[in-house]
Amino acid sequence: MTDLKDFEFDELCAFLKEMGEPRFRAAQIFEWLHKGVESYDEMTNISKATREKLKKTTYVSTLKIREKYVSKLDGTVKYLFELPDGNCIESVVMRYHHGLTICISSQVGCRMGCRFCASTIGGLCRSLTPGELLNQVIFAQKNIGERISNIVMMGIGEPLDNYENVIKFLHNVNHEKGLNIGCRHITLSTCGLVPQIKRLAGEKLPITLTISLHAPNDGIRDTIMPVNKRYKISELTEACGEYAKKTGRRISFEYSLISGVNDSRENAEELAALVKPLHAHVNLIPVNKIKERDYKKGTAEEINSFRETLERRGVNATVRRELGSDIAASCGQLRRKSMESEGQTTENNKTVKTVKNNKNEGVNL
């Protein structure tokens, strides 16, 4: 059985043509899929005969809201979505003056092994399909009853480790007959998979690329981000320069400030020298506390001092505003909590297969 939401529009047209259906039928069905229908029977302008033919070989995927939390502080909404196979992912809807932004997951778990991230504890279960990526936006929007205008791919998983499905999703969510969310309103965050960054530069998708850097040199980055053992910072920044040149889009860098690890004045000076030639923006993130790690964030004064050092060196930097702090809105925490409450770990959950290497420090890429 095929999920129709996994098809790009032209693929759907070709599929329906083989069934003897006209092209306009594809447009009708595509629009229904993006409205969040949960069965073919809701497609009222599609003939019963066509719907019955579709039911024989395809289905309309859905997501179940397993848990939902709404912040009393800022209105942030966090969802724990349950997939058809029983796995869970997280999505977060945030309110800004320019509209609603959703942060979506790209995988169930993650194999990157970043030491400060709850999402990667336990390794990778599997990647999400294009339809599962899309459903996070559709069903959050349907549940809230308001249009979501911006997408951030910074949830559970590494988007560029799920490259083909993510590209299909971007095409679909941007399509005028679908949700029609412009590429310039979409941000994709990667820990630094260099070949995929170079490949993405050729896709002609003017999205915003954000690099999870989190260290000013290879020595520190090697210890907290296993991906750096495969792609050093010099290779990463070269790929970033190539991306910016080909797309005309400014790169952003995410930098989680970890007290005593990467937040000294010397670290700030080194970071400024690294990113200034790229004319990049730096988004400083006070590290989130997770119980499996002993990393801590610095004081407000230390965080501001780091930012001021960057700005004195000509680097535009901001400190990310913490949203949904009262509902554990940080990535991976809710899924992890849910698994533990059921007595599950990624390793003993029979519905998934974990992908990891020895010592659970991320796979060789």
Side-chain angles (χ1 to χ4, degrees):
M1 299 288 283
T2 302
D3 179 10
L4 283 192
K5 290 179 183 174
D6 287 345
F7 286 137
E8 291 187 35
F9 181 72
D10 288 342
E11 292 175 330
L12 181 60
C13 290
F15 178 78
L16 291 173
K17 183 179 180 180
E18 291 181 0
M19 294 177 56
E21 296 291 333
R23 184 178 178 86
F24 75 84
R25 189 75 69 219
Q28 292 175 324
I29 293 174
F30 196 80
E31 289 175 357
W32 278 117
L33 293 173
H34 287 72
K35 289 179 181 178
V37 296
E38 299 186 33
S39 73
Y40 287 119
D41 295 332
E42 295 179 57
M43 300 181 182
T44 53
N45 61 346
I46 308 299
S47 70
K48 184 176 180 180
T50 298
R51 283 182 272 152
E52 291 302 317
K53 284 194 294 184
L54 287 169
K55 289 178 183 179
K56 292 179 181 179
T57 57
T58 67
Y59 67 99
V60 177
S61 64
T62 62
L63 283 182
K64 175 184 176 182
I65 299 176
R66 186 162 172 176
E67 297 180 31
K68 175 184 175 181
Y69 299 89
V70 181
S71 172
K72 295 179 180 179
L73 301 176
D74 49 47
T76 296
V77 182
K78 183 159 190 175
Y79 294 98
L80 182 68
F81 284 123
E82 183 176 321
L83 302 167
D85 65 1
N87 280 303
C88 292
I89 54 173
E90 298 175 21
S91 304
V92 180
V93 178
M94 298 158 285
R95 293 184 177 275
Y96 295 98
H97 68 276
H98 56 266
L100 297 184
T101 294
I102 186 169
C103 179
I104 67 171
S105 297
S106 57
Q107 296 176 309
V108 182
C110 182
R111 64 172 175 159
M112 296 299 107
C114 298
R115 295 287 298 167
F116 49 84
C117 181
S119 299
T120 197
I121 297 171
L124 174 69
C125 299
R126 66 173 178 86
S127 290
L128 299 182
T129 66
E132 290 169 336
L133 292 164
L134 185 63
N135 278 339
Q136 294 173 73
V137 187
I138 290 174
F139 285 97
Q141 181 171 270
K142 185 178 180 180
N143 178 259
I144 291 174
E146 299 178 56
R147 173 174 167 76
I148 291 174
S149 57
N150 297 271
I151 299 172
V152 179
M153 302 194 74
M154 291 184 185
I156 297 171
E158 162 56 54
L160 296 188
D161 193 35
N162 186 19
Y163 190 90
E164 300 292 347
N165 289 339
V166 165
I167 295 300
K168 276 194 169 188
F169 160 73
L170 292 174
H171 288 158
N172 282 341
V173 80
N174 178 240
H175 200 282
E176 62 181 1
K177 296 185 182 300
L179 293 179
N180 195 24
I181 297 176
C183 284
R184 293 180 183 274
H185 294 273
I186 300 174
T187 298
L188 184 150
S189 176
T190 176
C191 68
L193 304 187
V194 169
Q196 288 90 327
I197 292 173
K198 293 181 177 180
R199 186 178 175 188
L200 183 64
E203 296 284 354
K204 298 181 179 180
L205 291 166
I207 62 173
T208 298
L209 182 66
T210 297
I211 306 298
S212 294
L213 186 62
H214 308 305
N217 58 60
D218 288 325
I220 295 175
R221 202 164 192 258
D222 281 348
T223 64
I224 62 176
M225 300 185 69
V227 68
N228 203 70
K229 297 175 182 177
R230 178 63 182 86
Y231 305 113
K232 296 300 183 184
I233 289 179
S234 60
E235 297 176 78
L236 178 56
T237 53
E238 180 184 0
C240 289
E242 181 179 321
Y243 183 90
K245 183 177 180 180
K246 282 188 175 181
T247 64
R249 302 286 287 164
R250 184 176 70 159
I251 297 284
S252 292
F253 288 97
E254 294 172 305
Y255 194 98
S256 290
L257 288 164
I258 307 172
S259 181
V261 176
N262 65 354
D263 66 340
S264 69
R265 184 180 61 80
E266 292 76 15
N267 294 151
E269 298 276 2
E270 194 172 5
L271 178 62
L274 179 68
V275 303
K276 187 175 180 179
L278 294 170
H279 307 288
H281 173 265
V282 175
N283 191 14
L284 299 173
I285 309 167
V287 70
N288 293 308
K289 175 67 177 176
I290 56 176
K291 69 178 184 178
E292 291 86 355
R293 303 284 186 261
D294 58 0
Y295 292 145
K296 299 178 181 179
K297 64 181 177 182
T299 64
E301 292 76 15
E302 291 169 336
I303 293 169
N304 284 327
S305 177
F306 195 98
R307 175 186 57 79
E308 290 170 357
T309 298
L310 293 178
E311 291 182 339
R312 283 197 299 270
R313 297 296 179 267
V315 174
N316 181 263
T318 54
V319 178
R320 178 183 291 179
R321 182 163 62 99
E322 188 176 19
L323 297 174
S325 59
D326 58 330
I327 57 171
S330 301
C331 177
Q333 294 185 25
L334 186 55
R335 173 177 175 264
R336 189 76 180 163
K337 179 181 178 181
S338 175
M339 291 173 66
E340 290 175 348
S341 69
E342 296 178 356
Q344 295 180 347
T345 65
T346 309
E347 290 79 7
N348 66 26
N349 185 346
K350 295 180 180 179
T351 66
V352 299
K353 180 179 179 181
T354 302
V355 180
K356 62 182 182 179
N357 72 341
N358 295 333
K359 299 182 181 179
N360 191 29
E361 294 179 347
V363 302
N364 295 320
L365 299 168

